Amino acid sequence: MARKQTQIAATLPLVAIDLGSDTVRAMAARRIAPDLFQILGVEERPQKLGNVCVEQGIITQSSNAGYVIAEVLKLLANRIGADELPTAFVSVGGQSMQIVAVHSKRDQARRKEVTQALLDEMEQECKEKIELRNQEVAVLGLVPSFFKLDDKEQDDIPTPDQRAAIVEAHYIAFYGRKAIDTQLQKSFSQAGRSIEHVFVRPETLLSTFATCDGNHVLLNGCAVLDFGAQTTSFTAYKGGQYLINRVIPKGGYHITRMLEQQGMSFATAEVLKKQYGYASPDLVEKDARLRIPAVPEIGGDMIISLTELASAIELKLQEILAPLLEELRKVESRITTLYITGGGSMLNGMADYIQSKTSVDVQYGAHNLLLHRDTEEKYLSPKYTSLVGTILLGQDYRDNHKDQLVRKPGFLDRVKESTLDMFIDQE
């Protein structure tokens, strides 16, 4: 007898996947109280040089990505003692992602419930408006901006106990090249898994910080500097509106590559950056000289001081951050807080370095208040913030879609996608 392919989503653990340019991570969690979660397990798989399937936040090889997704979810299922994890929430970003305001309006003829089905229908209409206008793009995420019920405006999503005849829903749409969405869907299909819902990375991060610090940070205006491996993004938000969303194709990886060119291996450069790297020589409290192995072509050891290392890092950091700090200057008067996050933000002195460039209060974005007090300290690192934010939004999504079913792609679906990819990936 064929195995049952559908399940009620709410019966499964919350699973989030972060398709990073250097590492693919998966996290399983469960809610133990309102806005409080327990991590059940985390698995990650670094991408191998020469076999990279995600670059600058975009899947470039769906067949390879499908294999990695299947592998990390299988390992995660084994870790938490589950038979299988057939579905996951995903957060996406990418250099080509743009934003635009869009809205939908419904006349219900008389005052009646504002149902989730109606809101889903209006959201879908907004998505289709943008995609029909431009056949080359796909909407990656719709973030609620505000709603109007019989001309009365509110920021919160309407609940089923609210009634109105005229309903307006206003969203900020994040959209990008259609290939981003197509490759994502193919990768999960080839992995034999389904996507429960897709969120955009700026939304997951802002939701996390607002939940931890209070929604007043969104009303007063805040921004996020997300320093990744191959991309760095800057997002500013205030009072229901995204002011700026800018992504550049440079990140921590490029700092490591710069150090590698000094004559050391990439692995040595990465360790050197993470353990001894400072954002500026002015931030080095006590200088020291380090002896590190040179590449075989040079032979022997290299000697480099902490201040020399910091000077080299600062030059590359200035190059990476210059366009984003320019964006920050445009909105400084409209925001009060700048959060920094992402793996690259762990560079020693990063917050102090950026604080020296702006009058806005700079702080590390934290997600610890969303996790049980017994959570291992390593999971409080900024590199896990997006995953925790995806778990948070995933739970909200399930609360609004309690009876949603998830379907695991069958064998024929995977064969069809694999056949198509034999041609598409080669192109």
Side-chain angles (χ1 to χ4, degrees):
M1 181 179 291
R3 188 174 181 180
K4 190 175 181 180
Q5 293 290 311
T6 58
Q7 292 176 265
I8 297 177
T11 64
L12 300 167
L14 292 157
V15 176
I17 284 189
D18 183 4
L19 297 169
S21 299
D22 63 338
T23 304
V24 174
R25 297 186 177 92
M27 174 183 287
R30 66 182 181 94
R31 180 168 61 184
I32 54 178
D35 294 335
L36 186 65
F37 300 87
Q38 179 183 36
I39 294 178
L40 303 176
V42 175
E43 286 291 344
E44 51 189 72
R45 185 181 187 277
Q47 293 199 65
K48 297 179 181 178
L49 292 176
N51 194 27
V52 175
C53 57
V54 182
E55 296 185 59
Q56 298 177 10
I58 299 172
I59 293 174
T60 54
Q61 294 282 342
S62 60
S63 55
N64 291 345
Y67 172 79
V68 174
I69 290 168
E71 185 177 38
V72 293
L73 289 180
K74 182 178 179 180
L75 291 171
L76 184 58
N78 290 338
R79 178 173 292 277
I80 68 174
D83 291 336
E84 189 176 40
L85 297 174
T87 186
F89 293 99
V90 188
S91 175
V92 298
Q95 187 185 357
S96 70
M97 197 162 66
Q98 305 292 321
I99 57 175
V100 67
V102 63
H103 75 279
S104 175
K105 186 175 182 178
R106 286 286 190 281
D107 184 348
Q108 301 199 96
R110 59 183 176 81
R111 284 177 57 83
K112 57 183 179 179
E113 289 182 353
V114 181
T115 65
Q116 185 62 48
L118 174 65
L119 295 175
D120 288 345
E121 183 182 296
M122 296 173 74
E123 185 174 325
Q124 181 63 26
E125 179 188 298
C126 289
K127 181 176 184 290
E128 291 173 354
K129 279 183 182 179
I130 296 171
E131 294 180 343
L132 288 173
R133 197 179 304 152
N134 187 342
Q135 301 288 322
E136 300 301 315
V137 305
V139 173
L140 305 174
L142 283 163
V143 180
S145 180
F146 65 93
F147 298 84
K148 284 186 178 180
L149 304 184
D150 292 333
D151 290 328
K152 186 175 181 180
E153 188 173 315
Q154 64 181 56
D155 293 329
D156 295 332
I157 298 174
T159 55
D161 60 335
Q162 291 185 281
R163 304 173 70 86
I166 307 297
V167 181
E168 287 185 40
H170 293 253
Y171 298 93
I172 298 297
F174 286 79
Y175 66 93
R177 297 197 309 271
K178 184 174 287 186
I180 298 175
D181 182 62
T182 301
Q183 292 287 70
L184 182 64
Q185 298 294 336
K186 285 181 182 177
S187 298
F188 270 79
S189 179
Q190 291 181 344
R193 306 296 194 275
S194 66
I195 299 175
E196 195 163 341
H197 195 71
V198 177
F199 303 105
V200 288
R201 192 174 174 95
E203 182 190 13
T204 64
L205 296 174
L206 282 167
S207 297
T208 300
F209 304 144
T211 303
C212 289
D213 291 348
N215 284 324
H216 66 275
V217 300
L218 301 180
L219 296 174
N220 295 338
C222 63
V224 177
L225 183 66
D226 184 15
F227 205 111
Q230 291 190 10
T231 59
T232 303
S233 64
F234 175 78
T235 303
Y237 182 96
K238 183 172 185 176
Q241 293 293 325
Y242 281 85
L243 308 177
I244 292 174
N245 183 68
R246 174 83 184 275
V247 184
I248 62 169
K250 294 179 181 177
Y253 171 88
H254 297 86
I255 293 176
T256 305
R257 278 298 188 200
M258 176 274 298
L259 295 176
E260 180 189 30
Q261 291 169 5
Q262 309 300 313
M264 64 191 80
S265 69
F266 183 88
T268 298
E270 184 71 4
V271 171
L272 194 65
K273 178 189 73 176
K274 289 182 176 179
Q275 294 189 6
Y276 302 102
Y278 283 81
S280 167
D282 296 336
L283 299 171
V284 178
E285 297 179 2
K286 185 178 180 180
D287 201 8
R289 295 173 67 81
L290 304 173
R291 182 185 297 274
I292 57 174
V295 292
E297 293 82 357
I298 298 176
D301 293 333
M302 299 173 59
I303 304 295
I304 186 171
S305 69
L306 293 182
T307 53
E308 289 171 339
L309 176 63
S311 295
I313 289 175
E314 184 180 29
L315 285 175
K316 180 57 69 172
L317 198 56
Q318 288 174 340
E319 175 189 323
I320 294 170
L321 294 179
L324 302 181
L325 291 175
E326 183 62 33
E327 299 288 359
L328 173 60
R329 282 187 277 274
K330 295 177 184 178
V331 296
E332 272 184 321
S333 63
R334 303 180 65 184
I335 65 175
T336 59
T337 307
L338 172 64
Y339 295 102
I340 58 173
T341 190
S345 69
M346 298 167 68
L347 195 65
N348 292 317
M350 178 68 90
D352 292 333
Y353 177 77
I354 296 175
Q355 186 67 78
S356 69
K357 310 292 182 183
T358 180
S359 59
V360 174
D361 178 47
V362 178
Q363 57 182 275
Y364 284 100
H367 57 264
N368 58 303
L369 295 182
L370 291 172
L371 299 177
H372 189 269
R373 64 179 180 274
D374 292 335
T375 300
E376 291 184 57
E377 186 175 354
K378 65 181 180 180
Y379 295 133
L380 305 183
S381 164
K383 67 183 180 180
Y384 295 107
T385 302
S386 181
L387 278 172
V388 174
T390 304
I391 291 289
L392 172 69
L393 293 183
Q395 183 64 67
D396 288 343
Y397 181 83
R398 282 190 178 177
D399 288 344
N400 292 321
H401 300 81
K402 296 183 184 296
D403 298 324
Q404 179 167 307
L405 297 175
V406 295
R407 175 183 177 273
K408 180 180 176 182
F411 173 75
L412 292 179
D413 297 313
R414 298 197 297 275
V415 169
K416 182 174 68 174
E417 297 293 354
S418 297
T419 303
L420 286 172
D421 256 26
M422 287 175 63
F423 300 99
I424 294 173
D425 281 348
Q426 287 176 12
E427 291 177 1

